[in-house]
Amino acid sequence: MFNIILFGPPGSGKGTQSEKLIERYGLKHLSTGDLLRAEIANKTPLGLEAKSLIDKGQLVPDEVVIGMIDSAIEANAGVNGFLFDGFPRTVAQAEALDKLLSFKKSVIGVMIALQVPEEELIARMLNRAKTSGRSDDADENVLRNRQAVYRRDTLPVADHYRKADKVEEVNGLGTVEEIFERLTQVIDKKKGI
Ligand code: AP5
Ligand code: MG
């Protein structure tokens, strides 16, 4: 298995690039944001609890998302590897993920950190708000809060993987194709292709 964490602030292009990467490398895409939005759409108790936090730009509790990832890993035995998008988002989630993968005799192959300036992120998300229907995109205060939560709670996750020399930074500005090209170069090098 070759497992990748696609890391970066809200709006940095994780979802966009994940769609292309899973096709190129045959990986299973695990986005905790997508999994949570599916719970909300199905009006499950978990979805209802998550919605009020997501709408404010706050994180859902660690045990909830770790449980979702645990189930998803179990449900996808035999895949080539996982592409984690929007997870792990706290150091506690990173430690839990490392443990879950070690039970499968696996590890994170690389964490790719997309670098995009904040004003570009806000502009992208305000633009997406016109069509996405995502309630956490519409209000600029919520967008700014999501960026603040990222800086406070999520950036330390990069330090966690930096200690293991797993982090590669990639410029997230440019066309979708240009960025995809940069990502595949990093991954191919790590995989020794
Ligand atoms: P989540 O769904 O993970 O959202 P996010 O990380 O905030 O990021 P986005 O999905 O908004 O952006 P993205 O990086 O995927 O960029 P995208 O490709 O869409 O999380 C949502 C919420 O769920 C969280 O706030 C939290 O409440 C909760 N949650 C989720 N995971 C959690 C966890 N692990 N723990 C706790 N809580 C959790 O691109 C953005 C836009 O830009 C799009 O319109 C796209 O078309 C456009 N775009 C993409 N690439 C480019 C480019 N190169 N140039 C110009 N525009 C571009
Ligand atoms: Mg996304």
Side-chain angles (χ1 to χ4, degrees):
M1 279 214 287
F2 190 82
N3 304 303
I4 300 171
I5 297 173
L6 190 53
F7 188 76
S12 56
K14 302 184 296 295
T16 304
Q17 295 295 334
S18 291
E19 294 301 330
K20 297 171 70 66
L21 291 169
I22 55 167
E23 213 167 288
R24 168 70 64 96
Y25 296 103
L27 302 171
K28 173 71 187 170
H29 184 196
L30 290 184
S31 155
T32 40
D34 289 349
L35 292 171
L36 288 165
R37 281 185 288 278
E39 297 280 344
I40 293 172
N42 291 327
K43 297 195 167 56
T44 65
L46 192 159
L48 291 176
E49 184 197 339
K51 185 173 178 2
S52 62
L53 294 164
I54 291 174
D55 284 355
K56 286 183 266 186
Q58 291 170 7
L59 295 183
V60 172
D62 286 337
E63 56 274 20
V64 172
V65 285
I66 292 166
M68 288 191 330
I69 289 289
D70 188 4
S71 311
I73 290 176
E74 286 301 327
N76 289 283
V79 292
N80 279 341
F82 294 101
L83 175 57
F84 297 99
D85 158 7
F87 178 90
R89 244 178 164 92
T90 63
V91 171
Q93 291 178 23
E95 288 168 348
L97 176 62
D98 294 346
K99 206 173 281 178
L100 289 173
L101 289 176
S102 78
F103 293 148
K104 301 282 165 206
K105 307 234 176 313
S106 193
V107 291
I108 292 297
V110 64
M111 171 194 260
I112 304 182
L114 289 169
Q115 310 288 317
V116 180
E118 180 157 328
E119 287 317 307
E120 166 73 11
L121 298 169
I122 301 287
R124 285 185 190 179
M125 290 193 290
L126 284 173
N127 192 39
R128 182 176 60 186
K130 293 176 198 158
T131 52
S132 70
R134 269 180 64 168
S135 50
D136 58 343
D137 276 351
D139 178 338
E140 192 167 333
N141 291 324
V142 172
L143 295 185
R144 300 246 174 230
N145 188 39
R146 285 165 63 192
Q147 301 297 337
V149 168
Y150 171 81
R151 285 194 297 274
R152 187 190 66 205
D153 296 334
T154 305
L155 266 183
V157 174
D159 295 328
H160 172 86
Y161 287 103
R162 225 169 250 127
K163 284 183 203 146
D165 202 19
K166 298 259 161 101
V167 181
E168 298 286 337
E169 292 183 357
V170 167
N171 177 6
L173 281 179
T175 66
V176 170
E177 277 308 323
E178 283 166 349
I179 297 159
F180 180 63
E181 190 56 38
R182 290 173 203 150
L183 294 173
T184 57
Q185 277 180 17
V186 168
I187 295 166
D188 290 349
K189 197 162 160 223
K190 282 278 170 187
K191 290 182 74 154
I193 294 176

